[in-house]
Amino acid sequence: MLKGKHIILGISGGIAAYKSVFLLRLLVKEGAEVQVVITPNGKEFITPVTLSSLSQNPVICDFFTANTGEWHSHVSLGLWADLMVVAPATASTMAKMATGVADNMLVTTYLSAKEHVMAAPAMDLDMWAHPSTQRNIEQLRRDGVEIIMPGSGELASGLSGKGRMAEPEEIVRRIKEYFSRSRDMEGMKVMITAGPTCERMDPVRYIGNYSSGKMGFALAEECAARGAEVILVAGPVSLATENPAIRRVDVESAVEMCEAAEKAFADADVAIFAAAVADYRPAETAETKIKRENADEMTVRMVRNPDIAARCGMAKRAHQTTVGFALETDNERLNAAHKLEKKNLDMVVMNSLRDNGAGFRTDTNRITIFGRGGSVTEYPLKSKREVARDIVDAMLLQRRGADATADLSDN
Ligand code: PMT
């Protein structure tokens, strides 16, 4: 499964570095091409000769090779890699990663890494429990780093508790899991709505909302990275898409979004409605700027916008899956469950403005997923890209369940 995969193995200075030798061996045996980047302290625990013999590649520690003056480009390393795994990740290395202190080759490479990053922490139990370590781990999670949690047991200090690096076999299992989910949407067509809608009042004013599009764009990148063909129907946002498999349709109003979404939905396997769509629009749009009258009040008559998620939900065919969002401020669960039914969705992703770091404009979100059949799954605060991964994982699981049920009913 790892044949031909380019993996950077980052080793920092902890006693668990000896386990990284076994990890390297397992990765090479699975067919991966591994480039080891080690910190100066890491070299004190494990010799580069052992690592280069096993990886068949020179081990990189310094920015330059002293005798030849050769410069090691962290940028090309970052572009080369399909995955970076930092194991062991010491408290100090994680602190540097969380704050961007690029004073060694490992952290500099981390900052240049384009693809997924995993970190397997290893340290003594008190260091692990320290609030600063926990804060840094939280930050790394928000930045999209996948943390492979340490286990409990006897530690190098002689104390017993949490802090033992995950076993090499477990790390390889997680790496394989990552690569197996990486193309699991190949052949699928996905339509995603994202961002706000702007409802024009006149040539200079509109009614809008605070959506930045970050959640919807993260979903589009996640689906495209996993092999799907994506049509992203985006309201007015200042974001760019990265993956060429994303076709973007820019719209302004709810009516325009509805038209573009319904057109794309006809041919889609999955639709995800992450946009914050205005429920109402001004009944009339003035051709010229509305002038201030000599009155203290102004009334704008509003008319209802189409409910895009509900319209697609009602029109959906057996092979189509619809995922809606519920942005709530109160009665979260009740409202989310109600939207699942009312819009005939297969899944509702609830986010609440009562949670710090969740909802509009933030780089993070905290979600609860409501599935058909009554399942309710809560997730911790994560980066929007990680949240997108959780949503896609849950959606695919739900589709497989539906397929299995369809198979059973066929028989
Ligand atoms: O864009 P960000 O800044 O990253 O913020 C992300 C987000 C908060 C906008 C996103 O996570 C989110 O919650 N999107 C849905 C916001 C919303 O309008 O929720 P709602 O509970 O009002 O709507 C329920 C569902 O119906 C949503 O899937 C919505 O897209 C859809 N809807 C609503 C009204 C309408 N006229 N048409 C729709 O399709």
Side-chain angles (χ1 to χ4, degrees):
M1 174 173 282
L2 301 182
K3 197 164 168 35
K5 298 289 182 213
H6 293 174
I7 298 176
I8 297 172
L9 175 58
I11 300 179
S12 55
I15 181 62
Y18 84 89
K19 285 194 191 172
S20 305
V21 177
F22 295 96
L23 173 60
L24 171 59
R25 210 171 123 69
L26 289 175
L27 291 174
V28 172
K29 265 176 88 172
E30 292 281 349
E33 206 179 307
V34 185
Q35 175 61 64
V36 176
V37 180
I38 194 165
T39 64
N41 283 337
K43 271 202 305 190
E44 300 294 326
F45 287 91
I46 195 82
T47 145
V49 177
T50 310
L51 299 164
S52 61
S53 308
L54 287 172
S55 67
Q56 302 280 298
N57 276 320
V59 170
I60 298 174
C61 177
D62 303 309
F63 292 103
F64 301 93
T65 306
N67 49 354
T68 63
E70 186 196 350
W71 178 59
H72 299 297
S73 168
H74 51 91
V75 177
S76 11
L77 253 184
L79 289 171
W80 169 85
D82 298 310
L83 175 73
M84 178 169 185
V85 185
V86 184
T90 59
S92 159
T93 289
M94 285 196 297
K96 288 179 185 179
M97 287 164 70
T99 50
V101 178
D103 66 351
N104 63 39
M105 198 55 196
L106 192 157
V107 181
T108 312
T109 305
Y110 162 69
L111 293 184
S112 303
K114 286 264 186 225
E115 295 294 338
H116 192 55
V117 178
M118 293 178 174
M123 66 202 73
D124 209 50
L125 75 165
D126 294 321
M127 293 176 80
W128 171 256
H130 198 280
S132 69
T133 306
Q134 292 307 312
R135 237 184 357 255
N136 290 331
I137 286 182
E138 198 54 47
Q139 184 57 49
L140 287 176
R141 280 213 173 102
R142 288 178 190 199
D143 295 343
V145 175
E146 184 174 338
I147 304 290
I148 304 177
M149 289 297 274
S152 291
E154 199 180 319
L155 301 164
S157 60
L159 297 170
S160 192
K162 196 156 187 153
R164 282 163 68 109
M165 187 174 94
E167 294 307 317
E169 291 78 7
E170 166 62 9
I171 298 175
V172 171
R173 191 189 65 73
R174 292 283 287 269
I175 292 172
K176 283 184 174 174
E177 195 180 275
Y178 166 71
F179 282 116
S180 76
R181 77 175 172 238
S182 59
R183 299 299 292 176
D184 56 2
M185 293 185 80
E186 214 135 50
M188 285 176 117
K189 289 185 178 160
V190 182
M191 190 285 293
I192 297 171
T193 67
T197 62
C198 293
E199 310 298 328
R200 268 176 191 242
M201 290 173 64
D202 69 11
V204 297
R205 303 181 185 90
Y206 64 83
I207 294 171
N209 60 66
Y210 293 114
S211 171
S212 63
K214 286 179 184 174
M215 191 64 251
F217 275 58
L219 280 157
E221 294 295 344
E222 177 66 16
C223 293
R226 292 165 81 150
E229 232 178 88
V230 180
I231 295 186
L232 176 63
V233 183
V237 293
S238 50
L239 295 175
T241 52
E242 286 176 12
N243 195 309
I246 302 171
R247 189 160 74 76
R248 179 169 169 177
V249 183
D250 288 308
V251 296
E252 188 178 285
S253 66
V255 169
E256 285 170 18
M257 183 174 275
C258 186
E259 202 181 305
E262 283 190 316
K263 194 165 161 216
F265 182 65
D267 197 26
D269 301 292
V270 174
I272 308 179
F273 304 94
V277 187
D279 287 318
Y280 293 89
R281 66 180 181 278
E284 284 101 31
T285 306
E287 297 267 306
T288 53
K289 185 178 172 191
I290 300 170
K291 296 286 180 292
R292 184 166 27 151
E293 302 290 343
N294 231 357
D296 288 338
E297 288 180 9
M298 176 192 176
T299 304
V300 179
R301 197 168 64 85
M302 308 280 279
V303 292
R304 196 185 267 283
N305 269 331
D307 188 323
I308 308 166
R311 286 172 70 113
C312 293
M314 299 309 163
K316 81 174 162 214
R317 287 161 288 144
H319 73 282
Q320 292 180 304
T321 303
T322 52
V323 178
F325 271 73
L327 177 64
E328 303 299 339
T329 55
D330 58 323
N331 286 330
E332 284 90 346
R333 286 175 172 249
L334 208 67
N335 290 336
H338 179 63
K339 283 174 187 167
L340 185 77
E341 286 305 321
K342 200 174 133 210
K343 302 186 190 226
N344 194 30
L345 300 163
D346 297 292
M347 240 173 72
V348 162
V349 180
M350 192 276 287
N351 40 188
S352 171
L353 291 183
R354 281 205 281 195
D355 287 330
N356 277 339
F360 290 131
R361 296 195 284 195
T362 52
D363 290 325
T364 52
N365 208 355
R366 169 173 275 145
I367 59 161
T368 303
I369 295 184
F370 295 74
R372 279 254 156 221
S375 67
V376 179
T377 316
E378 285 184 37
Y379 296 81
L381 189 74
K382 295 184 181 186
S383 70
K384 279 190 171 158
R385 184 57 191 266
E386 273 194 303
V387 169
R389 194 175 306 141
D390 288 338
I391 293 170
V392 170
D393 284 346
M395 180 275 293
L396 290 177
L397 207 66
Q398 173 118 353
R399 267 178 81 86
R400 273 180 225 128
D403 283 352
T405 318
D407 284 351
L408 285 177
S409 60
D410 284 350
N411 294 331

